[in-house]
Amino acid sequence: MSNSLVRRWLSLASCLLAAWSVPGQAAEAAYPLAVSIYEDIYADYRQFVRGRDLANINYYGGSGARRDVIEVVLLQQALQLGGFKDSLELRDEQNYLRTLRQIADGELISSGALVWYSDVLNLPDLFHITQPVIDEGEFVVGLYTSPENQKALAAKTLDDLRQLRAVSSIQWYADVATLKNLGIHHLYFTTDWIHMVRMVSAGRADFTLAPFQPSAGMKIVLDNMELIPIEGIKVAINGTRHWPVSRRHPRGQEYYEALQKGITLMKERGIIQQAYEESGFFHPEVDDWRLLNPPSKSAPQEEPATPIPSSAEGPAVTPPTN
């Protein structure tokens, strides 16, 4: 599904829903303070939080910690810092496009996970878009394969990689674009993350892109399947990552402004950098690994969909890689 088709679909859904409205207190009841979270992320989130007060969490490693989990924690901490004190409902969701549609129509106020700017930049009438939480060039990932796949494990160059079969999701536009820009010719698609792991584990694909993990050997373990990164090489997924906030939700503006303020404070205090380092996403063990797609000095920059003021101006902006 192309980005333009997604935009038309989301716009149509928003227009149809905008044809009716629920005034007053009924609107508050119709639009709960719900954010989306994948089932496997929620399981690890509960393991990581262990009933603790989120405001008191200041170490982002340990049991259950990974990028997706920590982003749900950071979201709620940023809201609290920004003055939004109400609790959120964490609602199970399995589909990236469905999540965006539910945010667009106000059923969800936001996503627990960050999204790529390229997925929402042309939809400013549907979403408030936070300032970037992950900046350009920071989303560096591994090429994960089965421990038994000797051909994949031996890959050291782009030419080696182009002989391999990759698997991703058609909904993960940034991942797919990165793989295509790398010149990967054998690219398969499946519906969700667990199926990607199954394909790689079964040898039906050679590798998939995934953030480096805080576990021993940076391995991914899911349903008794194990994937490990191809040692010595890594890839940067181009783009910036943001939280989308519903413009249709009656508390969307309040939520957005608090989130903006909180993100700014967390950046100033170094909390976001600390959280990504301690959760293993910014992984020190891969600092010396070869980046297969270093940034081009002449690479075009995305134009912002909405103004993103500086901190002085005040508020404005899975599966494992999405």
Side-chain angles (χ1 to χ4, degrees):
M1 186 182 293
S2 68
N3 278 354
S4 60
L5 183 57
V6 172
R7 289 193 292 271
R8 289 197 298 271
W9 176 59
L10 288 169
S11 298
L12 177 60
S14 180
C15 290
L16 289 173
L17 287 161
W20 55 270
S21 61
V22 184
Q25 293 182 349
E28 296 293 331
Y31 296 95
L33 287 172
V35 300
S36 62
I37 186 170
Y38 290 102
E39 183 178 2
D40 65 307
I41 296 173
Y42 185 55
D44 283 348
Y45 169 84
R46 292 180 63 184
Q47 182 181 358
F48 173 77
V49 175
R50 301 189 307 279
R52 293 178 291 171
D53 183 347
L54 290 171
N56 295 330
I57 293 176
N58 55 19
Y59 174 66
Y60 300 90
S63 180
R66 55 184 169 112
R67 177 189 60 82
D68 315 76
V69 168
I70 296 309
E71 285 176 356
V72 181
V73 174
L74 291 176
L75 169 69
Q76 295 171 89
Q77 289 183 330
L79 286 167
Q80 291 180 7
L81 283 173
F84 193 95
K85 303 300 184 182
D86 291 348
S87 298
L88 301 179
E89 173 193 342
L90 301 181
R91 183 177 295 178
D92 178 41
E93 187 52 74
Q94 297 296 327
N95 185 284
Y96 184 65
L97 291 182
R98 177 177 165 84
T99 292
L100 291 179
R101 180 183 63 77
Q102 289 180 313
I103 298 170
D105 67 29
E107 185 177 344
L108 298 171
I109 195 168
S110 183
S111 165
L114 299 170
V115 302
W116 292 105
Y117 190 42
S118 57
D119 290 344
V120 292
L121 74 96
N122 289 322
L123 297 166
D125 54 328
L126 301 180
F127 304 107
H128 298 291
I129 305 168
T130 69
Q131 61 182 288
V133 179
I134 297 177
D135 290 318
E136 181 70 49
E138 289 187 334
F139 205 99
V140 176
V141 300
L143 302 106
Y144 274 77
T145 188
S146 165
E148 280 73 50
N149 192 325
Q150 296 304 314
K151 181 179 180 181
L153 290 171
K156 298 300 176 189
T157 67
L158 261 181
D159 285 340
D160 294 338
L161 204 64
R162 287 167 181 159
Q163 307 306 311
L164 303 178
R165 303 159 298 166
V167 62
S168 188
S169 167
I170 196 66
Q171 296 181 13
W172 295 2
Y173 304 118
D175 295 57
V176 173
T178 297
L179 289 166
K180 289 183 176 179
N181 289 337
L182 288 169
I184 305 301
H185 304 297
H186 309 290
L187 180 54
Y188 302 143
F189 298 105
T190 188
T191 52
D192 53 35
W193 170 239
I194 191 168
H195 285 94
M196 295 178 213
V197 176
R198 285 173 180 164
M199 286 186 67
V200 175
S201 182
R204 297 196 300 272
D206 294 306
F207 74 93
T208 190
L209 300 180
F212 294 106
Q213 304 295 302
S215 56
M218 297 175 281
K219 68 178 64 172
I220 292 169
V221 179
L222 181 62
D223 283 1
N224 296 316
M225 296 175 290
E226 181 179 306
L227 301 185
I228 59 175
I230 299 175
E231 188 172 352
I233 55 178
K234 57 188 179 181
V235 169
I237 300 181
N238 294 328
T240 56
R241 302 269 290 181
H242 312 249
W243 277 300
V245 180
S246 175
R247 285 186 177 272
R248 180 171 173 77
H249 196 287
R251 299 190 66 187
Q253 183 69 35
E254 173 193 2
Y255 178 104
Y256 168 68
E257 291 178 358
L259 189 53
Q260 282 285 79
K261 181 179 179 181
I263 294 170
T264 297
L265 290 172
M266 294 181 94
K267 284 186 172 183
E268 290 174 351
R269 298 173 186 179
I271 295 172
I272 292 175
Q273 178 76 21
Q274 172 196 345
Y276 282 136
E277 289 177 353
E278 291 176 348
S279 65
F281 176 55
F282 293 165
H283 211 299
E285 290 184 33
V286 305
D287 285 348
D288 295 332
W289 289 16
R290 180 185 178 191
L291 185 64
L292 294 179
N293 58 342
S296 169
K297 294 181 179 179
S298 60
Q301 300 296 312
E302 293 174 336
E303 291 296 325
T306 52
I308 305 176
S310 67
S311 58
E313 295 174 302
V317 146
T318 119
T321 50
N322 278 289

